[in-house]
Amino acid sequence: MAYAQAPTASGIAVPAAADLGFKPKVDLEEELHFKFWNPLHYYRALNQHRMRLNLPNPGQFELLNKEIKTTLLTNFMFDGGRADLAKILSPNFQVMHTFQLGLPGQPSAFEFAGVYADENTLMHGKMDTDFNLQARLNHALSKQLQVKSQAQLMTSDAQSMFQVEGEYTGSDYTLNTKAINPSLTDGTGIYLASYLQSISHKLSLGAELLYQSPMPAIQETSLSLAMRYQPSEDRAWVAQTQGANALTTSYWRKVSDKCEAGAELQVVNLPSQGRREASCSVGVKYEFAASNIRAMADNYGKVSMLLEEKIAPGFSFLVSGELDHLKGENKFGIGLNLES
């Protein structure tokens, strides 16, 4: 094959650019015109911009305020007597026994639970003395796609439920769909779809669409918005709406390696029901080598505290207390945790 050669000042022939496989440049106006009318160009440009930013995954929509949930006492408070015994049978399987001492007007209860977990699957189930059964199954189909299911069979049919969920985890976003008590015959049930996107390394924005149909002739929809701003690893701001009638904001701060503090504000406005109220809770958590302390207070005059003393490896002693100054009610609890 003969190349068209261009002479140089030294007399040496140099091959032309076209002969070396380089395509000539496309006319700028033609290229811009093509990109303007091509929708795929905008999609490719957006993906290239996201790849350049190298944004982190924002996590799950329902765990936006995960730090507040572990700092405040809302999910840890108990009263009466309680004992949790866990037995590890293998690296992937363990069983748990929970004893709850009855309070005045409440009978004693016992729960048996089992957990199996490996790299891709999580199975958890428990049953109490009233034969109420709860089961959960999570399975990862791939590194990005995960399916989840949850069932609850109660002695009262009104409290029984079934839930199926699918979650896709992208490089900088999380997409989740969920169906609660879905019916294929009449279309009743609760359906949710949420999307959470990292806008920058510090800011994440998301939305959740809720569609529910308790009866075939009744349909309701609502849209919830969420924002998470985390300027550093030791603090986080979260704001989230629940439809158009509720707003929740929270602030979490890691004061030191052993101390975390947080505050949460909830505002509810339901003019149709004549309900307009707000609640504010502040809490602190201390983690020491042999003990954990949580304390919380709210604007309703309720003060609570939980102490977990680690007596030995796998053995803990818990004491909880709550004072409700407005209602004049007190709660007190003692618990044991044993793991072997």
Side-chain angles (χ1 to χ4, degrees):
M1 178 178 180
Y3 295 102
Q5 299 178 347
T8 61
S10 60
I12 301 176
V14 178
D19 297 330
L20 296 177
F22 296 101
K23 297 182 180 179
K25 293 184 178 180
V26 182
D27 184 73
L28 181 60
E29 294 184 359
E30 180 181 356
E31 184 180 6
L32 291 177
H33 180 74
F34 172 76
K35 290 183 177 181
F36 178 79
W37 290 104
N38 186 5
L40 295 178
H41 165 71
Y42 301 99
Y43 177 76
R44 291 194 296 265
L46 180 61
N47 283 340
Q48 292 175 1
H49 179 67
R50 288 164 53 189
M51 292 176 63
R52 287 194 298 267
L53 293 177
N54 192 23
L55 298 177
N57 182 269
Q60 298 178 339
F61 187 90
E62 57 187 11
L63 296 179
L64 277 175
N65 55 350
K66 56 185 178 182
E67 294 87 358
I68 285 291
K69 292 182 178 180
T70 58
T71 302
L72 299 183
L73 262 174
T74 307
N75 299 326
F76 300 92
M77 193 63 193
F78 69 95
D79 58 344
R82 179 174 179 175
D84 296 314
L85 310 178
K87 177 66 174 179
I88 301 177
L89 302 179
S90 71
N92 303 107
F93 182 67
Q94 67 175 1
V95 295
M96 292 168 287
H97 306 267
T98 300
F99 302 89
Q100 183 73 39
L101 182 62
L103 299 173
Q106 297 181 4
S108 301
F110 168 76
E111 287 184 354
F112 174 77
V115 179
Y116 173 83
D118 57 20
E119 295 181 356
N120 299 321
T121 306
L122 169 66
M123 294 186 292
H124 175 265
K126 64 179 180 179
M127 177 180 287
D128 59 15
T129 52
D130 294 329
F131 298 101
N132 297 319
L133 175 64
Q134 298 182 28
R136 183 168 50 129
L137 170 63
N138 298 351
H139 182 68
L141 300 177
S142 65
K143 293 182 179 180
Q144 292 80 23
L145 183 60
Q146 187 177 24
V147 292
K148 307 176 184 179
S149 62
Q150 184 176 349
Q152 180 174 293
L153 301 177
M154 311 294 288
T155 54
S156 175
D157 294 338
Q159 298 179 354
S160 299
M161 59 85 68
F162 173 74
Q163 173 180 312
V164 61
E165 180 179 353
E167 184 174 275
Y168 184 84
T169 304
S171 59
D172 59 353
Y173 68 93
T174 301
L175 176 64
N176 183 280
T177 58
K178 188 182 303 181
I180 304 174
N181 291 337
S183 177
L184 301 178
T185 57
D186 53 10
T188 58
I190 302 175
Y191 306 89
L192 300 98
S194 63
Y195 181 82
L196 188 61
Q197 173 72 54
S198 292
I199 305 301
S200 67
H201 289 272
K202 301 178 181 180
L203 179 65
S204 301
L205 299 178
E208 183 180 61
L209 178 63
L210 168 66
Y211 170 82
Q212 59 180 347
S213 177
M215 300 178 63
I218 301 177
Q219 293 88 24
E220 298 178 358
T221 59
S222 64
L223 179 66
S224 301
L225 304 176
M227 179 194 72
R228 177 184 172 90
Y229 178 69
Q230 188 172 4
S232 59
E233 294 293 334
D234 60 350
R235 67 191 66 189
W237 300 80
V238 177
Q240 188 172 359
T241 65
Q242 297 178 3
N245 301 316
L247 171 66
T248 302
T249 61
S250 63
Y251 173 69
W252 171 82
R253 173 72 183 272
K254 187 173 183 179
V255 182
S256 65
D257 294 337
K258 299 180 180 180
C259 178
E260 299 178 11
E264 186 178 56
L265 173 65
Q266 295 181 348
V267 181
V268 178
N269 183 23
L270 296 173
S272 60
Q273 302 179 8
R275 181 186 175 189
R276 181 177 297 176
E277 58 186 24
S279 63
C280 179
S281 303
V282 293
V284 63
K285 180 180 70 172
Y286 288 93
E287 289 187 354
F288 301 101
S291 62
N292 294 332
I293 300 175
R294 287 182 173 89
M296 187 178 70
D298 60 19
N299 60 321
Y300 291 106
K302 186 183 298 183
V303 181
S304 54
M305 193 178 93
L306 173 65
L307 169 64
E308 180 183 0
E309 184 71 22
K310 301 176 183 178
I311 300 176
F315 180 63
S316 302
F317 176 71
L318 293 84
V319 179
S320 66
E322 181 180 277
L323 301 176
D324 194 332
H325 293 85
L326 294 183
K327 296 182 180 179
E329 298 178 354
N330 303 325
K331 295 181 180 180
F332 181 75
I334 297 178
L336 295 174
N337 284 345
L338 179 60
E339 182 177 337
S340 61

